[in-house]
Amino acid sequence: MPDEHAHSGQPSQGTTNLIPGVKHVIAVSSGKGGVGKSTVAANLACALSLTGAKVGLLDADLYGPNIPMMMGSTKGPEQKDGKILPVESYGVKLISMAFLVPEEAPLVWRGPMVHQYLQAFFRDVLWGDLDYLLIDLPPGTGDVQLSLSQMVPLAGAITVTTPQEVALYDVRKGMAMFQKVNVPLLGIVENMSYFVCGHCGERTEIFSYGGGERAAEKLGLPFLGRIPIDPAIREGGDSGHPIIVADPASPQAAAFRDIAQKLIAAMSGAGEGSPPIESLLKKIKQSFTNN
Ligand code: ADP
């Protein structure tokens, strides 16, 4: 297991790099489950791939590894020369905890295995050269995030949230954790932001308005965009056809594409960037005391 003390306040970046052929490793995180983190990861991976980039997607959400289902990949990976070949779907190379952990394995077994599994995913998978590798993390702030930051240099982390205050509380905790291990914070995505009625076109803010943007502002982080709550997005996930490929002309797909463009900009150094660590930690502390 990772030694937590090795992290506190120390830069952990650059200690090892198990995947030197990958240019940008981006973690997709969330403070809590069910906010649409995997949906966002799958759609962003496809959106990046549609720009012509070489993209990988690593499903490290060992408590609910549903990327294969969302990406429509029904069969597991194959072997080549004693290594694992990622499955390919919509041009994205993917590997999932679901391929390794039997569905019926009790949850308590999974935690302690995380470090080894992650290591195998980097060391034993033939990722080849990639422009972007997105990592779908388990929700919350646990061992996976810490292990990850020891194994590969993370270019940054994005956090997915829903707009209501209870979800935002967890966002701040998650962000503070990434800061602690010196992972740049690329910004906040607000999912299930609003609902547009398919019949009358009226817009309803189901989980209140603009919470993600307010949290981003408070923390001085980029706000990457909002995704509507929409049956087509859910159907895309259930049927293995992410909306970005199933209906590229839809406004929902455009929302994902916008966020992908912001990530590309951030990776090329043209984005807003994350604020200096001292100012961010101060803001996070303040936002806790203000509530
Ligand atoms: P998480 O990874 O945060 O646990 P998921 O991506 O698995 O969340 O999403 C949880 C459920 O919500 C899934 O059924 C998914 O299809 C659905 N969902 C996610 N985002 C949206 C959205 N914007 N509109 C409608 N349904 C969504």
Side-chain angles (χ1 to χ4, degrees), residues 30 32-39 61 66 70 191-192 227-231 233-234 237-238:
S30 68
K32 59 163 73 201
V35 296
K37 171 182 51 59
S38 301
T39 305
D61 187 351
N66 40 28
M70 288 184 174
N191 187 33
M192 310 200 198
I227 309 287
I229 183 165
D230 190 278
I233 296 180
R234 201 261 315 139
D238 282 353

Side-chain angles (χ1 to χ4, degrees), residues 30-251:
S30 68
K32 59 163 73 201
V35 296
K37 171 182 51 59
S38 301
T39 305
V40 169
N43 277 285
L44 284 184
C46 293
L48 289 168
S49 169
L50 285 168
T51 68
K54 292 190 197 120
V55 182
L57 177 55
L58 195 168
D59 179 10
D61 187 351
L62 77 166
Y63 299 109
N66 40 28
I67 287 288
M69 187 185 98
M70 288 184 174
M71 293 287 286
S73 46
T74 44
K75 57 182 184 87
E78 290 179 3
Q79 277 194 34
K80 192 183 165 200
D81 307 328
K83 297 265 183 188
I84 301 166
L85 270 175
V87 171
E88 229 172 295
S89 194
Y90 305 112
V92 174
K93 288 183 177 174
L94 68 96
I95 277 292
S96 169
M97 286 278 178
F99 297 143
L100 291 187
V101 186
E103 247 176 72
E104 62 279 9
L107 288 183
V108 286
W109 285 7
R110 301 187 185 188
M113 294 172 170
V114 165
H115 196 77
Q116 279 116 300
Y117 278 143
L118 262 188
Q119 211 158 26
F121 279 168
F122 292 126
R123 201 190 43 213
D124 301 330
V125 172
L126 294 168
W127 290 108
D129 291 333
L130 292 179
D131 296 304
Y132 305 98
L133 176 64
L134 299 192
I135 304 189
D136 184 11
L137 289 171
T141 56
D143 282 345
V144 181
Q145 287 83 343
L146 288 171
S147 292
L148 186 63
S149 62
Q150 287 185 327
M151 292 175 198
V152 290
L154 284 167
I158 66 169
T159 289
V160 181
T161 184
T162 45
Q164 73 273 42
E165 286 300 323
V166 284
L168 297 171
Y169 176 81
D170 294 318
V171 166
R172 287 174 293 173
K173 281 200 298 192
M175 297 269 102
M177 198 277 313
F178 277 119
Q179 276 303 136
K180 226 175 128 187
V181 291
N182 288 340
V183 173
L185 306 176
L186 301 173
I188 294 177
V189 173
E190 189 182 280
N191 187 33
M192 310 200 198
S193 228
Y194 53 89
F195 172 73
V196 179
C197 174
H199 304 290
C200 69
E202 195 195 351
R203 182 168 160 145
T204 310
E205 316 286 344
I206 293 179
F207 295 118
S208 88
Y209 179 76
E213 193 162 12
R214 275 198 303 280
E217 215 170 89
K218 248 187 185 172
L219 302 175
L221 293 176
F223 180 66
L224 297 172
R226 32 175 76 93
I227 309 287
I229 183 165
D230 190 278
I233 296 180
R234 201 261 315 139
E235 277 156 30
D238 282 353
S239 66
H241 303 290
I243 185 96
I244 189 107
V245 284
D247 189 2
S250 63

